[in-house]
Amino acid sequence: MNGEEEFFDAVTGFDSDNSSGEFSEANQRLTGVIHVDTSKSNGIGKVGDGPPQENGIQKHRTSLPAPMFTRSDFSVWSILKKCIGLELSKITMPIAFNEPLSFLQRITEYMEHVYLIHRASRQPQSLERMQSVAAFAVSAVASQWERTGKPFNPLLGETYELIREDLGFRFISEQVSHHPPISAFYSEGLHQDFLFHGSIYPKLKFWGKSVEAEPRGTITLELLKHKEAYTWTNPTCCVHNVIIGKLWIEQYGTVEILNHRTGDKCVLHFKPCGLFGKELHKVEGYIQDKSKKKLFVIYGKWTECLWGIDPVTYESFRKQERRGDSLRKMKPDDGPEKADCDVADSVPESQETVQVIPGSKLLWRVNTRPPNSAQMYNFTSFTVSLNELETGMEKILAPTDCRLRPDIRGMENGNMDLASQEKERLEEKQREARRERAREEAEWQTRWFHRGSNPYTGTPDWLYAGGYFERDFSGCPDIY
């Protein structure tokens, strides 16, 4: 990996350890159906016994132990300007750019709106099921809004589990590769209604002032009652002003969701910001059958809500809208654009909320964030709970679970010095373990996932091997 790639990894959260030890961010501070036995929860508490629990937690916390560390004194440029002429691989990035979560926990945020999967499973018609699946695919990226802190990079072999009986699912993920970084995940409904799995390995591109993360890896949702499987990939995420200026995020690209049983397809266009920010956050698309006949139109914003309507009514409304636009006078040009060199990308102002077309039905609306979200890395209420660790939980969790990572725990508690020291120690420990494997000519063995092909697309994938919730952790590596 060259120095340029490592710098961009450090900014966006997909970095690697450098085997030479010269680069460190810390110095400055499945194919088959897995049947779910709902009669027992493997030491976590039985379904239906007492209040809903997750890993023994009766009531989820509503805030973090310490407020967010201010980043006002830090910028990437303040670091780069001191290192002119040096290789980027030798540049140290402060931990202040992180948020106190692992990337594996970031992936778990897909499940915040899992009720959409349950709703899809209950729908009798395939068109209605696709509407709910499309809403779930959009909701899965909603938590990224204003989340400019980078998650901690998972160590090789790191895991994260989440059991939410109140939401009807359990989830397990593992960092299965470090070069390239690949995170595999698997989730199942506690009432045998769905399986949700995939592997994530983004491709990063640098465009001068922004870093673009192009998603790689297939996401699969199986609705077991209907014997249906849906596959898609996430949109591209772009972080602007990584060098200078205020960071802001947009998602863009086309997401195609395919129902492999019926041939129905949902095509969703995540719009790029556009001139004056008119298209910021917008999502527009449609559902078509296997003969490409449009059945349903979907529109909204990935940061707010998603609506749907029949194609005839949608086209009629848009035609009237265009007729009205043509009668309005165009605004005079404000003059030539400024040179695109050292100027930061302006943070676009979000336009008016979604204009709802009469006759539309609401498919999804984002959860309201807690009032103190800005002091908690812009976390949602769901996200705030992901790193909870109550007394006794460590006896149940795998020793590789990222709740047990001392660097993330230190940052969450507001101890930035400890977090930096622990992060550097863990990265060095990982480097030494890799050197030891090289000396012994031994390959890394994943524990809960294995290489394979996606059963529906045939593309390379990491598949859940099963067995995690039997809780035999005797062979887990010592990574912390």
Side-chain angles (χ1 to χ4, degrees):
M1 178 176 283
N2 62 37
E4 184 179 83
E5 290 172 326
E6 293 199 341
F7 165 65
F8 305 141
D9 287 349
V11 171
T12 57
F14 301 101
D15 67 359
S16 65
D17 58 11
N18 185 314
S19 57
S20 69
E22 291 178 321
F23 178 85
S24 170
E25 297 179 353
N27 289 347
Q28 290 191 16
R29 68 300 155 207
L30 106 178
T31 70
V33 173
I34 307 296
H35 295 287
V36 184
D37 183 359
T38 57
S39 67
K40 54 188 177 181
S41 293
N42 305 292
I44 308 299
K46 294 183 179 179
V47 176
D49 285 0
Q53 300 180 16
E54 177 267 311
N55 299 103
I57 295 177
Q58 299 270 345
K59 185 178 180 181
H60 294 284
R61 66 187 184 185
T62 58
S63 62
L64 297 179
M68 173 181 168
F69 183 83
T70 178
R71 297 184 184 131
S72 59
D73 297 331
F74 292 90
S75 71
V76 177
W77 174 242
S78 69
I79 299 166
L80 291 181
K81 66 183 181 182
K82 300 174 184 176
C83 305
I84 296 174
L86 298 179
E87 294 182 19
L88 290 177
S89 61
K90 295 184 173 66
I91 297 174
T92 299
M93 297 295 296
I95 203 171
F97 290 106
N98 284 65
E99 62 178 22
L101 287 179
S102 166
F103 183 66
L104 296 183
Q105 291 166 312
R106 254 296 177 100
I107 293 174
T108 312
E109 293 181 68
Y110 289 171
M111 308 305 292
E112 177 167 353
H113 300 274
V114 68
Y115 74 88
L116 293 167
I117 297 181
H118 297 310
R119 187 174 75 187
S121 184
R122 293 192 302 267
Q123 298 288 357
Q125 303 297 324
S126 61
L127 176 59
E128 294 175 328
R129 291 195 293 276
M130 179 63 90
Q131 291 169 15
S132 294
V133 172
F136 175 74
V138 173
S139 76
V141 301
S143 67
Q144 296 187 36
W145 178 48
E146 295 189 329
R147 293 276 293 283
T148 54
K150 74 177 212 61
F152 283 69
N153 306 288
L155 302 168
L156 186 60
E158 183 175 311
T159 61
Y160 181 72
E161 70 161 272
L162 184 65
I163 300 175
R164 287 293 297 261
E165 294 180 5
D166 56 332
L167 301 179
F169 76 90
R170 62 185 184 184
F171 182 102
I172 174 62
S173 57
E174 179 182 5
Q175 190 70 5
V176 294
S177 174
H178 198 63
H179 294 292
I182 302 176
S183 306
F185 69 90
Y186 168 87
S187 181
E188 58 192 18
L190 295 179
H191 302 290
Q192 300 184 5
D193 51 344
F194 75 88
L195 301 177
F196 178 58
H197 50 93
S199 48
I200 308 294
Y201 41 109
K203 175 70 174 177
L204 299 176
K205 297 178 181 178
F206 180 59
W207 299 106
K209 293 181 295 185
S210 62
V211 175
E212 184 181 79
E214 177 190 345
R216 300 288 177 91
T218 302
I219 293 175
T220 303
L221 172 64
E222 302 180 40
L223 299 181
L224 303 181
K225 174 183 175 182
H226 303 283
K227 298 181 180 179
E228 287 181 340
Y230 302 78
T231 58
W232 69 91
T233 58
N234 280 333
T236 295
C237 179
C238 186
V239 181
H240 291 270
N241 296 338
V242 296
I243 301 298
I244 189 171
K246 182 180 179 181
L247 294 170
W248 60 278
I249 291 176
E250 65 174 327
Q251 310 256 6
Y252 47 76
T254 299
V255 172
E256 294 189 355
I257 306 169
L258 176 63
N259 182 331
H260 289 264
R261 185 180 70 83
T262 66
D264 292 352
K265 180 186 290 186
C266 180
V267 181
L268 296 172
H269 301 289
F270 286 71
K271 300 295 189 74
C273 175
L275 195 61
F276 307 120
K278 290 183 178 180
E279 302 294 308
L280 186 64
H281 303 155
K282 283 188 177 180
V283 180
E284 292 182 358
Y286 53 86
I287 298 172
Q288 65 181 30
D289 62 19
K290 61 183 178 182
S291 63
K292 296 187 178 182
K293 177 184 177 181
K294 287 188 179 181
L295 306 175
F296 197 71
V297 173
I298 294 175
Y299 66 95
K301 290 186 176 184
W302 60 268
T303 55
E304 293 182 27
C305 56
L306 211 59
W307 295 82
I309 196 169
D310 70 274
V312 174
T313 304
Y314 179 83
E315 289 302 328
S316 175
F317 182 86
R318 291 305 183 204
K319 184 180 293 185
Q320 293 179 5
E321 194 176 48
R322 287 192 292 270
R323 188 180 299 122
D325 285 345
S326 65
L327 298 177
R328 299 190 189 103
K329 289 185 177 182
M330 297 294 292
K331 290 184 178 181
D333 194 337
D334 290 332
E337 294 185 22
K338 295 180 180 180
D340 186 17
C341 49
D342 295 329
V343 181
D345 292 330
S346 298
V347 181
E349 291 186 10
S350 183
Q351 302 297 306
E352 73 281 353
T353 190
V354 176
Q355 181 183 19
V356 180
I357 301 172
S360 298
K361 78 171 184 177
L362 180 66
L363 301 180
W364 160 79
R365 189 182 298 279
V366 71
N367 292 330
T368 302
R369 292 192 178 182
N372 53 344
S373 178
Q375 287 76 49
M376 300 189 302
Y377 307 89
N378 291 309
F379 284 0
T380 67
S381 295
F382 180 85
T383 306
V384 168
S385 71
L386 292 179
N387 206 44
E388 281 181 291
L389 183 66
E390 292 196 350
T391 304
M393 281 178 61
E394 65 278 1
K395 298 177 182 178
I396 298 171
L397 299 171
T400 50
D401 193 284
C402 48
R403 292 179 184 86
L404 306 176
R405 277 188 63 161
D407 52 352
I408 296 178
R409 186 64 55 190
M411 184 177 190
E412 182 183 274
N413 290 332
N415 192 335
M416 302 298 285
D417 291 338
L418 175 64
S420 292
Q421 294 165 11
E422 286 295 322
K423 190 169 187 292
E424 184 174 16
R425 181 184 66 81
L426 293 176
E427 290 173 345
E428 179 54 36
K429 183 172 183 175
Q430 182 171 234
R431 285 190 284 266
E432 179 54 37
R434 190 174 66 190
R435 289 191 289 264
E436 181 66 22
R437 289 195 302 274
R439 286 191 293 268
E440 297 178 356
E441 298 183 349
E443 291 190 3
W444 174 261
Q445 298 295 321
T446 56
R447 181 66 191 271
W448 309 112
F449 293 82
H450 62 85
R451 290 180 186 269
S453 298
N454 186 284
Y456 304 102
T457 65
T459 54
D461 207 347
W462 285 84
L463 309 174
Y464 180 54
Y468 176 88
F469 293 101
E470 295 173 10
R471 302 199 176 277
D472 177 10
F473 302 137
S474 57
C476 288
D478 175 17
I479 59 175
Y480 301 146

